[in-house]
Amino acid sequence: MKPEPLTLPPSPNWYCARCSDAAPGGIFGFAARTSVFLVRVGPSAGANPGAPPFRVVGELVGHTERVSGFTFSHHPGQYHLCATSSDDGTVKIWDVETKAVVTEHSFHQHTISALHWSPTVKDLIVSGDEKGVVFCYWLNRNDSQHFFPEPRTIFCLTCSPHHEDLVAIGYKDGIVVIIDISKKGEVIHRLRGHDDEIHSIAWCPLSGEDCLPVNQEENSEEPDIPNGKLVAETPITKGGYLATGSKDQTIRIWSCSRGRGIMVLKLPFLKRRGGGVDPAVKERLWLTLHWPNNQPTQLVSSCFGGELLLWDLTQSWRRKYTLFSTSAEGQNHSRIIFNLCPLKTEDDKQLLLSTSMDRDVKCWDMATLECCWTLPSLGGFAYSLAFSPVDVGCLAIGVGDGMIRVWNTLSIKNNYEVKSFWQGVKSKVTALCWHPNKEGCLAFGTDDGKVGLYDTCSNKPPQISSTYHKKTVYRLAWGPPVPPMSLGGEGDRPSLTLYSCGGEGIVLQHNPWKLSGEAFNINKLVRDTNSIRYKLPVHTEISWKGDGKVMALGNEDGSIEIFQVPNLKLLCTIQQHHKLVNAIVWHHEHGSRPELSCLIASGSNNAVIYVHNLRTVLESNPESPVTITEPFRTLSGHTAKVTSLAWSPHHDGRLVSACYDGTAQVWDALREEPLFNFRGHRGRLLCVAWSPVDPECIYSGADDFCVCRWLTSMQDHSRPPQGKKCVELEKKRLSQPKPKLKKKKKPTLRLPGKQDSSIVTEDESSRETSGPVENGVSDQDDEEEAQEPELPPSPVVSGEAVSCIAVSLGVEKSKVTVNSKATSLKKEPPKEKPEALLKKRKARSMLPLSTSLDHRSKEELHRDCLVLATATHAKELNEDVSADLEERFHLGLFTDRATLYRMMETEGKGHLESGHPELFHQLMLWKGDLKGVLQAAAERGELTDSLVAVAPVAGYSVWLWAVEAFAKQLCFQDQYVKAASYLLSIHKVYEAVELLKSNHFYREAIAVAKARLRPEDPVLKDLYLSWGSILEKDGHYAIAAKCYLGATSAYDAAKVLARKGDAASLRTAAELASIAGESELAASLALRCAQELLLVKNWVGAQEALGLHESLQGQRLVFCLLELLCRHLEEKQPPEVRSPSSVYHQWAAGSEGDLVRRVTGVWRNTFSVDTPERCRAALKKLQDVKYPSATSNTPFRQLLLHVCHDLTLAILSQQTATWEEAVPALLQAVLRSYTSGNFTLMQEIYSAFLPSGCDYLRDKLGDLSLTTAAFKSLEAFFIYGQLYEVWWSLCGPGPESSIWVKSTVPAEQREPEDSASAEDTEPVAAAAQPQSSPPSGPGLRLSGESERLLSACRKLFSERHANLQASQRTVAEVQETLAEMIRQHQKSQLCKATANGPSRDDPGQEAEQTPSRPQSPREESNAPVSLPELTRRLTEANKKIAEFPESIKAWPFPDVLECCLVLLHIGSQCPGAVNPEMQQQAKELLQKYGHTRAYGRYYQTLHMNFQRP
């Protein structure tokens, strides 16, 4: 069995009473999110010598929501069984050995909050939920019972270890009850004393009550009367202590025989170094308990800040406790502890395991109270991985829980030596990058746009850049400074600066010496250096080449731009991806092939990885930017977006990729081959890093909160999953929890029964809301926002619901009556007469208070008259009259103006209090205080259209102020368009436009700006560009293009149209760019359009697209040749195989004449290429286009296009009589077919372009020495192909007469034989088995043409080429042997590390140690080659290769030894057909150069055949 990959697991779930447990023998499990992680503890863990004895060995996967409970069976023979409960409503029983579900039930209707496997009944699992329902499930008989002892929220429960029917239950409100499940859940004791949540319950390990000293006075007390009845002291109720821990900061010890408390322990406030206890820490408390089995007088408890206390229960009169880990600083938890569980290992060590909010799992030795080891965990997505280039083996991990981990992966003493850094982070860490030279200098970026520097070698807080990104930081990179930061002297600026790329699409340059200073946006330098007029693309990725001379920027539109220091001159643009670029990596520079350092790999949202070779561009340093549209290599296989890439530092051209399809893939990029596929994650992969010391070790992080360390050789799969496998993996990934919004429960209107009403009135809060959601379900990762299990205040419900509940409870009758009356009035509308409905409603009085005062008693009205008369006739008002007037304000209607104003103010206040501000405003208008009305209305947010309409009466300035205030009020009411209209009414056009823009009303903003501003106003262009960017991001490319056109940025319009990637969009974009004068972009888009049409074989549309731009005349010729060649190949196929969907031109229909004449004829008649001058012009344009070499994985359509490009160059060279250029072009086409393994295509090229052989070219070349080597290579491949045709003609099952073989037996005398395919794409493999070819019959002989060909084969027996090829094979075999030695060594080390596992004689290990490659007879007989011998061979072979002239090495040659083997086979089948001298020469070449594995066995077999009599 393969070992599990080393995993840094997710954090244990928070705020659960029992979500971790351990089984005897050394297996520990803890719930993390929706699964349970298993840890092997003790000698059987198979840890490295000297390392802590524990190892993560697996995961229980099956729940769809947070796991809230986990418990093992502690019965002998059942230690492999465990149970889990989840928020998905299920309880599952697992077998940890198979990691499979044994059975499950979903009896609970509400969230399960507590779970325990009975320690006395081996098949009983007890669970409780938040409504107070308890279920007992018997596994063996598949039976269940449920009880409802209390209508309260259960927080924890524990079965008695002494009495099989007793279960203790702790509730949220502090009540503890003990029930008897044999008596239908009857409550035996109801223990009151705590006044807050019960977090933990622990039974005393010894039965009876003799272990603790209790004073006699307490013993003499009468027992309490539970439930109003005196319970007889039966054996069940006798004996046993119970300990409970509560959020009220107390531990209580209870006597079960008396049903009362005997001891109270108050938690102490322990002062730590640096001050007292934080008040917030006191509130954040979870009090968990453990009563040790072998120490009944001692109790372990958690404390406020993560400490563990060992209480001495023998001295109840004073609090005596011992603190864990007092000798070592920093060994305690730093946050509250949630779970404690004991474990006894195989070597009888008593351990205690704890889980905490600080995300660590710690193991304690109960004998010494010291921490044995710590297992760190992750509380969020693993966003970023980075290995330190200075401190080798230090892996930095950026996690979504707001912390950075630094993992020392080379530690021998501890596999999980992890340091955490959290100061100053306070957000998800999304990007990391180590300084290339400075030890411990780590740059980090967060999702809130923060960039900072950490010194991991000290405890100092990080330095934070004063310049923030507006969105998430995607990538960080160290690189040389560029202007303006590079303009200072050598000592005035750092040698390396920090570059950060953010989600808003800009790259900032930070000065690490002065992070408090402003960071610089490099877009300005790019624009100025390259004189760019159009909008710069949105940057999503940055990567510096290893030498620091070149920078690559990935963009949202899929393009990659290459810039050169110091001024960021644009060298080239790679237009390959058409979606957002996620990852760019440069190949390392320390390999055996330095030219590979110019390789750049990139991954994007379109699942394909492209590798480009920029060597030509970087060496030529072009004056104007070059556009690259063809990849050097294409790596296809992933089915989702690629998120991260990493080159292997140990290999040449080996790449690992991380993808959203849930896998990591290792590629041989040079061969385009998938090698290994890792599927150990349960989520989408976000990052990947290759170990700097182990060639087979890779680290990967994902959104399953895990970081995995895995070995390439241990993987079962070689490529990403496809089809059904991909669907299964997606289902596995989708089983991950998703963030859910917390829904507030609406008050129900139905009248609940007695039981239901009790439950409804109880304060409710699920664990999902009481605990932080991040560990259970989602990625809410900020630790400071971790919620406590404090319950929110009871929600205010409607009067109707309150009345129903109150009636059912029978309490507060007076309130019930009022509420029920109110409810009845609300439910039953007043009855009105039909005629009353037809009457018009009377208008509300403007002066209701004065009117009501005029309807008082007659005495009061008479008193009003007297007061009024006194006031009107008195010369001076005395105090009594003034007081009367103030009291009788309604008399102001009949006195002076001041009194009238007071009356109006009183009436106005009454209108405001009754909710009629419009009447108050009318009164103020009557008063003439219009300005005051407007101010009061503005302060209260009650301005209306009518008030603003009359505002000009108070003056122009008041009107302006009123309109602005009303616009602000409308903005608060989300009426932005109306607010903008009011701003326009006071001529504030810019403010109105900005208001509409900031609230995403771009269409309206543009309409206003276009109508009211000058056409050249920059605000209008900014509107177009902003709206275009948003539309582009949302995928509305056509409308975005119109915006860019409106901003006179046709370049951006064309690019955004092309992002769709389909042929119609590309053609429109090309036409648009052509109209705008962007000729280079138009040509690039037209070519892309033609290539898209080529995929569907729409030849007519492809030529029309190429015709859009004159510079693509050469490409039109290539596509013409490609069409004719495809038609030519299709005509040779059977009719039933031909593709009916091809759309050919009319000129492709004719089949008369050879292919070259047809091609040149169409060029002359259709494309007007009829003069040497036009041929030269087309030739010059095509020579600037370079395609990468082919491999066996190159798609056939792409291969055909590249071959036709070379053939077009050859024909144009022939038309211009430049034969020295025609030969290399024709040879290049042949080589592409040969290296891709397409022998048929190679022969078609020869038959179409050299139908009569190479003599014609030899005559044309004359004595041109420059092309002699190329011509020899071309002629050799021609002979090589015909040689195989001769051999296949002989090897056929019933060969007919042909130009190679003549049959002397009449057709009617031949025996019928089965047909067999003779085509083989690998010539060496065809020549590998001499016995497979049947000997030719007596009626076959070679034709004269074959005999002439065999005579010409002398040209294939080139000893110089044979020597060169043997040296190259030696180099390849030595490198393969070295790789095999490294792999075998790593396997042997791995087997030693796991030798202490299940069995030392495991046959699976023996199978792993056997080499995967079959050994040749020569290897089996020889002893293993030593490393110095291999080094010597490699050095000698490389020295030999260097001595050969460049003319020999520049042009490939057919494999000489392969040709020798084929010729000897022909000679054995047709004796006398091959010259004996040639046979002898072939044998000598094989004997001299056939010492490598590739040919040694074939030569030995052939030699034995020739030795037979």
Side-chain angles (χ1 to χ4, degrees), residues 1156-1166:
V1156 177
R1157 290 183 180 178
R1158 290 168 59 193
V1159 169
T1160 54
V1162 174
W1163 285 1
R1164 284 194 302 271
N1165 300 329
T1166 305

Side-chain angles (χ1 to χ4, degrees), residues 976-981 984 988-1014 1017-1028 1030 1043:
Y976 303 107
V977 177
K978 186 175 180 180
S981 300
L984 289 174
K988 292 200 171 187
V989 181
Y990 288 105
E991 289 81 353
V993 170
E994 181 60 30
L995 175 63
L996 291 171
K997 174 190 171 185
S998 60
N999 292 283
H1000 304 290
F1001 289 93
Y1002 286 99
R1003 196 181 296 272
E1004 292 79 0
I1006 291 174
V1008 170
K1010 200 85 172 173
R1012 301 289 291 269
L1013 299 178
R1014 300 186 309 277
D1017 198 304
V1019 171
L1020 185 59
K1021 183 174 182 179
D1022 179 64
L1023 278 174
Y1024 280 126
L1025 294 177
S1026 301
W1027 192 24
I1030 291 179
C1043 290

Side-chain angles (χ1 to χ4, degrees), residues 422-485:
W422 55 268
Q423 290 184 345
V425 180
K426 298 181 180 179
S427 189
K428 302 175 185 178
V429 182
T430 54
L432 293 171
C433 188
W434 291 93
H435 194 286
N437 307 319
K438 188 177 179 183
E439 183 179 4
C441 183
L442 177 63
F444 68 91
T446 65
D447 73 328
D448 59 359
K450 184 189 307 176
V451 176
L453 281 180
Y454 242 117
D455 182 2
T456 61
C457 299
S458 68
N459 294 323
K460 297 179 182 178
Q463 305 176 54
I464 305 297
S465 173
S466 61
T467 307
Y468 276 56
H469 285 278
K470 295 180 181 178
K471 294 184 179 180
T472 302
V473 178
Y474 283 157
R475 191 70 66 194
L476 297 171
W478 291 94
V482 298
M485 203 171 291

Side-chain angles (χ1 to χ4, degrees), residues 827-892:
K827 281 188 175 181
E828 299 177 6
K831 297 179 181 179
E832 298 181 7
K833 296 179 181 180
E835 57 269 17
L837 296 174
L838 301 176
K839 293 182 180 179
K840 292 184 179 180
R841 186 177 180 180
K842 186 177 180 181
R844 184 178 293 274
S845 172
M846 290 293 295
L847 303 171
L849 298 180
S850 302
T851 305
S852 63
L853 290 177
D854 282 337
H855 288 80
R856 292 177 299 166
S857 63
K858 186 184 296 183
E859 291 79 7
E860 290 293 332
L861 294 178
H862 291 170
R863 179 63 184 166
D864 288 345
C865 293
L866 295 177
V867 172
L868 182 59
T870 305
T872 53
H873 291 87
K875 295 182 179 179
E876 292 183 2
L877 298 178
N878 55 27
E879 292 181 0
D880 294 337
V881 175
S882 299
D884 287 341
L885 286 177
E886 287 182 4
E887 181 183 353
R888 302 171 187 273
F889 62 88
H890 62 289
L891 298 181

Side-chain angles (χ1 to χ4, degrees), residues 499-544:
Y499 295 83
S500 60
C501 180
E504 72 276 20
I506 64 171
V507 175
L508 297 178
Q509 180 186 200
H510 307 263
N511 186 347
W513 288 3
K514 191 177 180 182
L515 283 177
S516 59
E518 183 180 359
F520 298 99
N521 186 348
I522 68 169
N523 276 356
K524 184 177 186 303
L525 178 62
V526 171
R527 190 182 295 276
D528 295 343
T529 301
N530 301 283
S531 303
I532 296 176
R533 296 175 288 108
Y534 51 84
K535 180 179 75 74
L536 289 177
V538 175
H539 306 309
T540 58
E541 177 70 350
I542 179 173
S543 179
W544 280 93

Side-chain angles (χ1 to χ4, degrees), residues 1274-1327:
L1274 180 66
E1275 186 179 24
F1277 276 105
F1278 176 75
I1279 300 172
Y1280 168 82
Q1282 291 190 330
L1283 179 65
Y1284 261 99
E1285 288 190 356
V1286 172
W1287 183 38
W1288 286 339
S1289 298
L1290 288 172
C1291 296
E1296 301 289 339
S1297 296
S1298 65
I1299 62 169
W1300 307 113
V1301 179
K1302 296 298 182 183
S1303 177
T1304 60
V1305 179
E1308 60 272 10
Q1309 297 181 13
R1310 298 178 194 152
E1311 295 181 2
E1313 297 182 359
D1314 295 335
S1315 60
S1317 174
E1319 183 177 354
D1320 194 335
T1321 58
E1322 223 175 308
V1324 177

